[in-house]
Amino acid sequence: MKILKVQALRGPNIWSVQRKKLIQMRLDLEEMEQFPTNKIAGFRERIEAMFPTMIEHRCSEGCRGGFFSRIERGTWMGHVIEHIALEIQTLSGMETGFGRTRETKTPGIYNVVFSYIEESVGIFAAESAVAIAEALIAGTEYDVEADIQRMRIIRERVRLGPSTGSIVDEAVARDIPWIRLGTNSLVQLGYGVNQMRFQATITCKTSNIAVDIACNKEETKRMLNLASIPVASGDICVDEEDLEQTIRKINYPIVIKPLDGNHGKGASINVKNWEDAVAGLAHAKNYSRRVIVEKFITGYDFRVLVIDNKLVAAAKREPAHVKGDGTHTIQQLIEQTNLDPRRGYGHENVLTQIDVDRDTTDLLEKLGYTLETVPTKDEVVYLKSTANLSTGGTSIDVTDMMHPENIFLCERISRVIGLDICGIDIMAQNLTEPLRENGGCILEVNAAPGFRMHLAPSEGLPRNVAAPVIDMLYPPGKPSRIPIIAVTGTNGKTTTTRLLAHIVKNNGFRVGFTTSDGIYIQNHMMEKGDTTGPISAEYILKDPTVEFAVLETARGGILRSGLGFSRCDIGIITNIQEDHLGINDIHTLEDLSRVKSVVVRSVKKDGWAILNAEDPYCLKIADELSCKVAYFSLNEDTPIVKRLAREGKIVAVYENGYITIKKGEWKIRIEKATHVPLTMGGKARFMIANVLAASLASYLYGFKTDDISLSLQTFIPSAAQTPGRMNIFDFKKFKVLIDFAHNPAGYRAVEDYLSSVEATKKIGIIAGVGDRRDEDIRECATIAARMFDHIIIRQEKHLRGRTEEEIIGLIMEGIQAANRPVTHEIINKEVEAVKHAISTAQDGAFITALSDVITNAIDIVQEYLDKENEE
């Protein structure tokens, strides 16, 4: 078997709009296409022995053991690989269960689709599943456990940490969208102007000064002391002389830790003699030039979490340790402790496995122990100097046991330091008594405190400490999203998008929009190029100035990685016509409509899908939508439009020369089409269709009809405003039109417009696109032969695997099929073809350049026009 391609889908996609995170693997079964599982001797037994837990895979049978039944009866290897990929992810601690396997139009080649938790792990799972299947087919040994451990390692490297992950999970539960900004823990919640950012537990509301204070243990201690908050006595040391003076003042035992340290790194606790003190000083100076030396306070280590100046959780922490039984060595006791199912690799479980490191051996050495020592019964042997959960420590929730005075004290500390999310380390015998009575004190105040000990304590009640973070960032009434209108279809997407952006901008919003020629914010081009995919959509949604997004959404991006947004307010399908067929398993208009429908299937339930009532594929899509549906049509008298009107549907129609919204039998006229520059005086019917779609979307969003009308009248088509969309250049003796038409539907739209144009001679400059079907290239040429008197064929770009001669040959076949006297010539280079047409144009001629490289043609024509104006 051979993997042809593996891609990660990250948004709503053709397989599912709810399950956004999917791996799609294109797999060639090769000779295995002839061998379903029931023809492979012993396969059922081998896979069941390797993965006994697959008994839970119900598959299409809908019962326990359903998948094994399918294997017994016979199923193809793509389906088996789908289930293996899901199972190995689950076994590695990432439980997931959605999958689909479908054969493509090419026999033996399948799309294997399955869900993932972490993208990198999902891609690895695809490759691993194929290798495992091949081993099962051959009956050879395979180390599945090694792959599972590798997946765990990948997950720990790429996953969000437990604190960040908990905040994201809480946001998702509240329907707040999120975007990971890079590969670390920097996350954006919400879209556009309503976004909030955080990294770990530092938020965009966290004071930079407060973080600096918390990171400076000396300054923190001084401020707390001035606020009458109990702190451990001690001083800052830089050398042994300072150390000696400080010890003389506070006496042993002491704690030595780096002034700028965190997570317990470089700390030495309960130091009782000069030799250990000197060693502790040297160890701390590996992390910070200045070292803090404090009196060691006996008691228990507590962590209190305060968010938005309110106490939300408290935990008692214990460093990693083992309890002796008088029989086993320390090493054996560690191994036994790590067998606890609550302990896992990294952050995968409530507790982390205990690893032996230098800190462990140093602590044992102080006790005169080694890993081979057998502790006495019930003797507690500490293996780490700090109580961090990431090093195997444990936590016990004590939130409900805190004395009110201690709650007041901790909330006051958060205000004194100024942190919105504040972790306070306390050493005391307990928190049930005021610290001033039991001799407890504040050890540290931490910016970016970890949440794990509170989210999943080893004992006590778990606390949802992420909830108050979201409450702080998004208090009741604060929106997290911005309005999104998504536009898709075969033709008219860019014009509709630009017109909508113009209407939105005129209604007072700062609009961001994507098109096939660039990314724009308030009409300022930010990036040039075809920007109709999910990365470009995300660009807009990440911009903190954008209040409203209008996103052109093309098929390529949907197929490549899904939509760049989780849902939209309004989705538009302009039409579904022959284009890009035969590429990426999209062979028919039914296939294409399935891709385009992703946009309208992602519309929120109380949002609107806007569909072309004259397009049969759009009408079929309407039946499967759960949102509200409205339509547009150039003809109000068709049976379909009349039926929709009887049903009380909202339909935008072109009637009696007006752009009109129909609600049942009621009509709301927005503007006369001849007053809308985009319609070319009402002659460009396909432009009227675009105006209908944009006007309807604007009306349904809630804009006033007067405001829509004004925007329609002020949207002037030009090379700057709508590049490549019916751009007409008026020379003194002739005219030049440049349009992006590149498929039969686009050519027919231009033909319709030219039928109303008076000209002494109509000249067309055309080309074929190599990745289109033969019949599409021929049909475009046939239409060209119907609408032009003379055709210039040029072919220098977008060959896409074909030769110039092959494409030109297809064009010639199409011209001949028109059976109409039309002259033609071949000028390969577009620049030369346009120059030739202009330089030889007769009085009253109308030149039409149907170009796939718009900027080139526009620049050439504009250059000639500028020269003419200078003369």
Side-chain angles (χ1 to χ4, degrees):
M1 293 181 290
K2 185 178 181 182
I3 297 174
L4 302 178
K5 183 168 66 172
V6 178
Q7 60 194 101
L9 306 178
R10 306 178 188 94
N13 54 75
I14 60 172
W15 305 101
S16 174
V17 292
Q18 285 82 33
R19 297 174 179 87
K20 303 171 181 64
K21 298 168 69 173
L22 299 176
I23 296 296
Q24 180 177 313
M25 172 170 57
R26 190 173 175 83
L27 181 68
D28 186 349
L29 294 190
E30 296 180 324
E31 70 276 4
M32 293 312 300
E33 172 67 3
Q34 309 306 319
F35 293 92
T37 51
N38 61 336
K39 291 186 178 180
I40 304 171
F43 187 85
R44 155 77 190 263
E45 292 74 20
R46 289 195 292 274
I47 192 170
E48 195 166 358
M50 184 177 282
F51 298 110
T53 48
M54 273 192 179
I55 191 74
E56 302 299 336
H57 289 218
R58 304 169 74 86
C59 204
S60 56
E61 305 293 293
C63 61
R64 191 170 185 265
F67 176 59
F68 287 147
S69 297
R70 287 290 305 277
I71 288 177
E72 189 73 34
R73 293 202 314 272
T75 188
W76 269 260
M77 206 48 62
H79 182 211
V80 173
I81 287 166
E82 168 205 322
H83 279 265
I84 293 174
L86 291 170
E87 184 64 12
I88 58 178
Q89 286 185 91
T90 298
L91 292 173
S92 63
M94 290 161 279
E95 188 166 350
T96 187
F98 175 83
R100 293 284 185 274
T101 297
R102 299 288 184 269
E103 188 173 15
T104 67
K105 292 285 196 301
T106 307
I109 295 180
Y110 291 74
N111 281 318
V112 180
V113 178
F114 58 88
S115 52
Y116 65 86
I117 303 298
E118 295 293 343
E119 182 178 313
S120 298
V121 175
I123 292 171
F124 179 87
E127 296 165 353
S128 173
V130 173
I132 291 169
E134 288 177 331
L136 287 168
I137 292 165
T140 56
E141 292 294 318
Y142 192 92
D143 190 351
V144 175
E145 191 54 45
D147 279 5
I148 289 171
Q149 182 59 22
R150 174 69 179 150
M151 290 162 73
R152 288 173 177 150
I153 292 169
I154 295 172
R155 177 198 58 196
E156 289 305 308
R157 189 179 72 238
V158 301
R159 75 185 299 184
L160 294 171
S163 302
T164 308
S166 70
I167 297 172
V168 167
D169 290 343
E170 181 64 22
V172 170
R174 300 189 191 193
D175 197 30
I176 296 172
W178 67 284
I179 301 171
R180 189 172 185 174
L181 303 175
T183 56
N184 55 19
S185 294
L186 182 60
V187 170
Q188 173 185 314
L189 299 178
Y191 289 152
V193 72
N194 292 323
Q195 68 180 261
M196 291 287 173
R197 295 176 187 166
F198 72 96
Q199 185 163 21
T201 57
I202 296 282
T203 78
C204 52
K205 289 180 173 288
T206 303
S207 162
N208 188 45
I209 293 175
V211 173
D212 282 347
I213 292 170
C215 291
N216 186 326
K217 294 178 174 60
E218 180 183 20
E219 183 64 19
T220 300
K221 191 172 173 181
R222 187 187 68 79
M223 291 183 69
L224 295 181
N225 193 36
L226 289 174
S228 304
I229 295 167
V231 293
S233 56
D235 213 336
I236 304 298
C237 301
V238 295
D239 54 29
E240 291 183 18
E241 184 179 341
D242 292 343
L243 178 65
E244 186 177 9
Q245 289 176 1
T246 302
I247 292 173
R248 196 176 295 125
K249 281 193 295 185
I250 64 176
N251 294 319
Y252 293 110
I254 60 172
V255 175
I256 304 171
K257 54 190 175 182
L259 181 64
D260 304 319
N262 55 35
H263 301 298
K265 293 176 182 176
S268 301
I269 63 172
N270 200 14
V271 176
K272 298 178 179 177
N273 58 63
W274 176 250
E275 183 179 319
D276 288 344
V278 171
L281 176 69
H283 182 47
K285 291 196 73 170
N286 289 329
Y287 298 88
S288 175
R289 189 180 68 83
R290 303 171 75 202
V291 173
I292 192 165
V293 178
E294 294 176 336
K295 182 73 175 178
F296 176 67
I297 308 296
T298 57
Y300 296 102
D301 183 352
F302 295 95
R303 164 61 66 84
V304 176
L305 182 63
V306 180
I307 298 175
D308 201 18
N309 306 128
K310 299 179 187 68
L311 187 140
V312 297
K316 177 183 173 183
R317 303 188 297 178
E318 265 200 296
H321 63 276
V322 292
K323 184 182 282 189
D325 59 6
T327 304
H328 294 91
T329 66
I330 292 173
Q331 180 64 54
Q332 290 169 332
L333 292 170
I334 291 172
E335 291 168 1
Q336 288 177 11
T337 302
N338 284 339
L339 292 175
D340 184 340
R342 295 177 301 167
R343 291 190 182 271
Y345 181 83
H347 297 309
E348 72 177 353
N349 285 346
V350 174
L351 300 174
T352 300
Q353 291 185 348
I354 301 171
D355 292 327
V356 174
D357 58 13
R358 179 177 172 180
D359 189 24
T360 308
T361 54
D362 287 350
L363 286 173
L364 293 178
E365 190 177 320
K366 288 179 182 179
L367 297 171
Y369 289 178
T370 69
L371 290 170
E372 301 308 313
T373 300
V374 178
T376 59
K377 186 172 174 54
D378 295 330
E379 178 187 358
V380 175
V381 179
Y382 288 100
L383 303 169
K384 304 290 178 187
S385 57
T386 61
N388 292 328
L389 266 66
S390 58
T391 57
T394 58
S395 67
I396 302 169
D397 180 73
V398 295
T399 307
D400 296 332
M401 302 177 190
M402 282 194 71
H403 192 281
E405 188 170 316
N406 290 336
I407 295 174
F408 170 78
L409 180 73
C410 291
E411 291 179 347
R412 185 161 173 263
I413 288 169
S414 73
R415 291 183 182 276
V416 168
I417 302 303
L419 286 171
D420 59 338
I421 301 178
C422 179
I424 302 166
D425 291 341
I426 299 174
M427 184 64 72
Q429 289 300 318
N430 58 65
L431 295 182
T432 58
E433 301 173 315
L435 296 188
R436 60 183 173 79
E437 292 182 11
N438 64 16
C441 69
I442 308 303
L443 299 180
E444 284 184 15
V445 178
N446 298 278
F451 284 1
R452 187 179 173 204
M453 70 187 76
H454 308 296
L455 294 165
S458 42
E459 292 181 39
L461 189 66
R463 306 283 172 172
N464 181 7
V465 295
V469 176
I470 300 297
D471 290 340
M472 176 179 68
L473 297 176
Y474 288 100
K478 177 177 173 57
S480 62
R481 297 176 181 267
I482 60 173
I484 297 174
I485 298 179
V487 184
T488 192
T490 303
N491 295 313
K493 298 186 296 295
T494 300
T495 302
T496 305
T497 298
R498 283 182 168 275
L499 178 55
L500 270 166
H502 179 72
I503 296 170
V504 170
K505 180 174 178 288
N506 284 356
N507 276 272
F509 289 92
R510 183 175 289 272
V511 62
F513 60 99
T514 60
T515 71
S516 56
D517 54 80
I519 300 173
Y520 296 81
I521 294 175
Q522 284 295 84
N523 285 350
H524 295 279
M525 180 184 277
M526 313 308 295
E527 294 285 339
K528 189 175 182 179
D530 187 346
T531 57
T532 55
I535 293 174
S536 304
E538 200 172 87
Y539 182 105
I540 293 293
L541 299 176
K542 287 193 293 191
D543 191 287
T545 68
V546 172
E547 298 170 334
F548 202 119
V550 184
L551 306 173
E552 181 180 345
T553 308
R555 57 177 285 290
I558 298 173
L559 290 170
R560 191 166 54 251
S561 52
L563 297 180
F565 48 88
S566 55
R567 69 163 185 256
C568 56
D569 298 79
I570 297 175
I572 300 172
I573 302 181
T574 57
N575 46 64
I576 298 172
Q577 304 285 343
E578 294 89 348
D579 196 18
H580 298 285
L581 298 181
I583 306 170
N584 293 328
D585 298 323
I586 306 303
H587 297 279
T588 65
L589 287 176
E590 286 83 359
D591 294 338
L592 188 59
S593 66
R594 190 162 66 98
V595 179
K596 302 292 186 184
S597 72
V598 173
V599 169
V600 288
R601 286 192 291 122
S602 71
V603 173
K604 64 182 185 179
K605 287 199 171 180
D606 60 345
W608 289 91
I610 296 176
L611 304 174
N612 188 334
E614 298 172 21
D615 192 307
Y617 296 97
C618 284
L619 294 172
K620 287 179 186 176
I621 290 170
D623 296 333
E624 61 189 52
L625 299 178
S626 57
C627 63
K628 295 182 282 188
V629 183
Y631 302 84
F632 65 95
S633 172
L634 286 166
N635 187 350
E636 69 167 333
D637 295 322
T638 66
I640 290 169
V641 172
K642 288 181 177 179
R643 174 176 62 79
L644 293 171
R646 287 194 302 272
E647 293 172 358
K649 302 290 187 184
I650 298 178
V651 188
V653 295
Y654 179 50
E655 55 86 29
N656 294 318
Y658 281 90
I659 306 297
T660 301
I661 306 289
K662 286 188 69 171
K663 297 176 73 174
E665 296 303 324
W666 289 83
K667 291 182 180 180
I668 305 169
R669 283 182 169 174
I670 294 179
E671 189 51 70
K672 199 170 180 64
T674 54
H675 296 168
V676 180
L678 193 58
T679 69
M680 307 291 179
K683 295 177 182 177
R685 288 179 61 82
F686 62 98
M687 284 297 188
I688 297 173
N690 296 334
V691 171
L692 288 171
S695 300
L696 181 56
S698 305
Y699 173 79
L700 293 174
Y701 182 76
F703 296 142
K704 294 178 181 177
T705 53
D706 287 349
D707 293 334
I708 298 171
S709 171
L710 181 62
S711 295
L712 295 181
Q713 294 176 67
T714 56
F715 186 77
I716 312 299
S718 65
Q721 181 85 288
T722 54
R725 274 72 188 175
M726 298 297 288
N727 304 146
I728 295 180
F729 299 81
D730 286 312
F731 287 78
K732 291 175 182 176
K733 295 182 178 180
F734 57 89
K735 293 182 179 181
V736 177
L737 180 149
I738 297 177
D739 193 81
F740 189 60
H742 56 280
N743 55 45
Y747 271 55
R748 283 193 290 270
V750 173
E751 180 185 23
D752 181 61
Y753 171 73
L754 289 179
S755 66
S756 63
V757 171
E758 294 290 336
T760 57
K761 188 174 186 179
K762 295 177 183 177
I763 301 166
I765 303 171
I766 68 170
V769 181
D771 61 1
R772 301 308 196 271
R773 299 177 305 173
D774 290 359
E775 55 264 43
D776 294 332
I777 296 173
R778 289 193 197 98
E779 187 176 355
C780 284
T782 300
I783 298 167
R786 292 203 304 257
M787 61 178 161
F788 299 127
D789 303 309
H790 180 71
I791 295 175
I792 300 173
I793 303 169
R794 59 98 188 160
Q795 194 65 53
E796 60 176 318
K797 294 185 174 66
H798 301 293
L799 301 178
R800 295 172 183 171
R802 296 185 191 250
T803 63
E804 286 183 27
E805 292 75 16
E806 183 183 358
I807 297 175
I808 291 172
L810 291 169
I811 292 173
M812 292 303 301
E813 290 175 19
I815 292 173
Q816 290 161 10
N819 197 25
R820 179 175 178 268
V822 55
T823 58
H824 71 271
E825 58 187 312
I826 298 171
I827 302 176
N828 282 343
K829 293 190 176 180
E830 180 183 41
V831 172
E832 299 303 321
V834 174
K835 287 181 178 179
H836 173 72
I838 292 175
S839 61
T840 60
Q842 302 168 1
D843 287 2
F846 197 99
I847 302 168
T848 301
L850 302 180
S851 176
D852 48 356
V853 187
I854 293 305
T855 50
N856 287 1
I858 289 174
D859 289 346
I860 297 162
V861 176
Q862 190 64 57
E863 183 182 333
Y864 271 87
L865 189 60
D866 291 343
K867 284 181 182 177
E868 182 179 271
N869 291 333
E870 289 170 5
E871 293 174 357

